Short mmCIF file of all heavy atoms in Angstrom, two decimals:
data_model
loop_
_atom_site.label_atom_id
_atom_site.label_comp_id
_atom_site.label_asym_id
_atom_site.label_seq_id
_atom_site.Cartn_x
_atom_site.Cartn_y
_atom_site.Cartn_z
N VAL A 67 1.69 6.81 -8.02
CA VAL A 67 2.22 7.99 -8.43
C VAL A 67 2.98 8.69 -7.33
O VAL A 67 2.60 8.54 -6.15
CB VAL A 67 1.22 9.05 -9.03
CG1 VAL A 67 0.25 9.39 -8.08
CG2 VAL A 67 1.83 10.23 -9.85
N GLU A 68 4.21 9.28 -7.59
CA GLU A 68 5.01 10.01 -6.59
C GLU A 68 4.52 11.47 -6.54
O GLU A 68 4.59 12.12 -7.60
CB GLU A 68 6.43 9.81 -6.85
CG GLU A 68 7.21 10.38 -5.81
CD GLU A 68 8.74 10.11 -6.00
OE1 GLU A 68 9.09 9.86 -7.11
OE2 GLU A 68 9.58 10.28 -4.95
N ILE A 69 4.21 11.91 -5.39
CA ILE A 69 3.92 13.31 -5.20
C ILE A 69 4.85 13.95 -4.15
O ILE A 69 4.87 13.39 -3.02
CB ILE A 69 2.46 13.53 -4.83
CG1 ILE A 69 1.51 13.02 -5.91
CG2 ILE A 69 2.07 15.08 -4.56
CD1 ILE A 69 0.00 12.97 -5.54
N GLU A 70 5.51 14.98 -4.59
CA GLU A 70 6.46 15.57 -3.62
C GLU A 70 5.85 16.82 -2.87
O GLU A 70 5.13 17.49 -3.53
CB GLU A 70 7.77 15.95 -4.43
CG GLU A 70 8.49 14.77 -4.96
CD GLU A 70 9.75 15.08 -5.67
OE1 GLU A 70 10.49 16.10 -5.12
OE2 GLU A 70 10.08 14.58 -6.65
N ASN A 71 6.26 16.97 -1.52
CA ASN A 71 5.93 18.20 -1.02
C ASN A 71 7.18 18.68 -0.23
O ASN A 71 8.24 18.07 -0.45
CB ASN A 71 4.80 17.89 0.10
CG ASN A 71 5.08 16.87 1.15
OD1 ASN A 71 6.27 16.62 1.42
ND2 ASN A 71 4.06 16.36 1.70
N SER A 72 7.04 19.66 0.64
CA SER A 72 8.26 20.21 1.23
C SER A 72 8.95 19.24 2.11
O SER A 72 10.18 19.37 2.31
CB SER A 72 7.75 21.54 1.99
OG SER A 72 6.88 21.16 2.91
N ARG A 73 8.24 18.38 2.83
CA ARG A 73 8.82 17.53 3.75
C ARG A 73 9.46 16.23 3.04
O ARG A 73 10.72 15.96 3.32
CB ARG A 73 7.81 16.94 4.74
CG ARG A 73 7.43 17.93 5.88
CD ARG A 73 6.52 17.47 6.84
NE ARG A 73 6.75 16.12 7.20
CZ ARG A 73 5.71 15.23 7.32
NH1 ARG A 73 4.47 15.65 7.34
NH2 ARG A 73 5.99 14.07 7.81
N ARG A 74 8.75 15.60 2.13
CA ARG A 74 9.34 14.36 1.53
C ARG A 74 8.29 13.91 0.52
O ARG A 74 7.09 14.31 0.44
CB ARG A 74 9.67 13.31 2.49
CG ARG A 74 8.32 12.82 3.18
CD ARG A 74 8.78 11.64 4.16
NE ARG A 74 7.55 11.07 4.75
CZ ARG A 74 7.45 10.07 5.56
NH1 ARG A 74 8.58 9.37 5.76
NH2 ARG A 74 6.33 9.55 5.93
N SER A 75 8.67 13.06 -0.25
CA SER A 75 7.74 12.59 -1.45
C SER A 75 6.96 11.29 -0.80
O SER A 75 7.38 10.77 0.01
CB SER A 75 8.47 12.23 -2.61
OG SER A 75 9.43 11.16 -2.42
N LYS A 76 5.77 11.13 -1.40
CA LYS A 76 4.98 10.00 -0.97
C LYS A 76 4.35 9.47 -2.27
O LYS A 76 4.12 10.04 -3.28
CB LYS A 76 3.73 10.48 -0.10
CG LYS A 76 4.06 10.82 1.28
CD LYS A 76 2.71 11.10 1.95
CE LYS A 76 2.96 11.41 3.38
NZ LYS A 76 1.92 11.49 4.21
N PHE A 77 4.21 8.11 -2.10
CA PHE A 77 3.61 7.44 -3.30
C PHE A 77 2.20 7.24 -2.91
O PHE A 77 1.82 6.72 -1.88
CB PHE A 77 4.27 6.01 -3.49
CG PHE A 77 5.71 6.13 -4.08
CD1 PHE A 77 6.87 6.06 -3.29
CD2 PHE A 77 5.79 6.38 -5.49
CE1 PHE A 77 8.06 6.09 -3.84
CE2 PHE A 77 7.07 6.44 -5.96
CZ PHE A 77 8.16 6.27 -5.22
N PHE A 78 1.34 7.51 -3.91
CA PHE A 78 -0.10 7.20 -3.81
C PHE A 78 -0.54 6.11 -4.73
O PHE A 78 -0.22 6.22 -5.97
CB PHE A 78 -0.88 8.52 -4.10
CG PHE A 78 -0.56 9.54 -3.03
CD1 PHE A 78 0.40 10.44 -3.14
CD2 PHE A 78 -1.57 9.58 -1.98
CE1 PHE A 78 0.56 11.38 -2.12
CE2 PHE A 78 -1.33 10.58 -0.93
CZ PHE A 78 -0.29 11.46 -1.12
N TYR A 79 -1.24 5.25 -4.26
CA TYR A 79 -1.64 3.99 -5.03
C TYR A 79 -3.11 4.17 -5.45
O TYR A 79 -3.97 4.78 -4.83
CB TYR A 79 -1.49 2.75 -4.19
CG TYR A 79 -0.19 2.40 -3.84
CD1 TYR A 79 0.60 3.03 -2.89
CD2 TYR A 79 0.56 1.34 -4.53
CE1 TYR A 79 1.81 2.78 -2.55
CE2 TYR A 79 1.82 0.98 -4.27
CZ TYR A 79 2.47 1.70 -3.19
OH TYR A 79 3.77 1.39 -2.97
N PHE A 80 -3.40 3.81 -6.72
CA PHE A 80 -4.63 3.81 -7.31
C PHE A 80 -5.01 2.71 -8.33
O PHE A 80 -3.94 2.15 -8.76
CB PHE A 80 -4.91 5.18 -7.93
CG PHE A 80 -4.04 5.41 -9.06
CD1 PHE A 80 -4.32 5.24 -10.29
CD2 PHE A 80 -2.65 5.97 -8.76
CE1 PHE A 80 -3.49 5.44 -11.33
CE2 PHE A 80 -1.77 6.14 -9.84
CZ PHE A 80 -2.12 5.97 -11.06
N ILE A 81 -6.13 2.41 -8.65
CA ILE A 81 -6.59 1.60 -9.70
C ILE A 81 -6.78 2.27 -11.01
O ILE A 81 -7.56 3.21 -10.97
CB ILE A 81 -7.82 0.62 -9.28
CG1 ILE A 81 -7.35 -0.17 -8.03
CG2 ILE A 81 -8.26 -0.16 -10.47
CD1 ILE A 81 -8.53 -1.01 -7.50
N LYS A 82 -6.26 1.86 -12.04
CA LYS A 82 -6.53 2.36 -13.34
C LYS A 82 -7.89 1.98 -13.78
O LYS A 82 -8.30 0.76 -13.63
CB LYS A 82 -5.50 2.05 -14.35
CG LYS A 82 -4.10 2.54 -14.15
CD LYS A 82 -3.12 2.08 -15.20
CE LYS A 82 -1.70 2.43 -14.85
NZ LYS A 82 -0.86 1.98 -15.94
#
Side-chain angles (χ1 to χ4, degrees):
V67 63
E68 184 176 17
I69 299 175
E70 296 183 35
N71 63 23
S72 59
R73 285 183 35 221
R74 64 181 185 173
S75 62
K76 285 189 174 184
F77 288 100
F78 291 86
Y79 292 77
F80 61 95
I81 295 177
K82 293 181 186 177

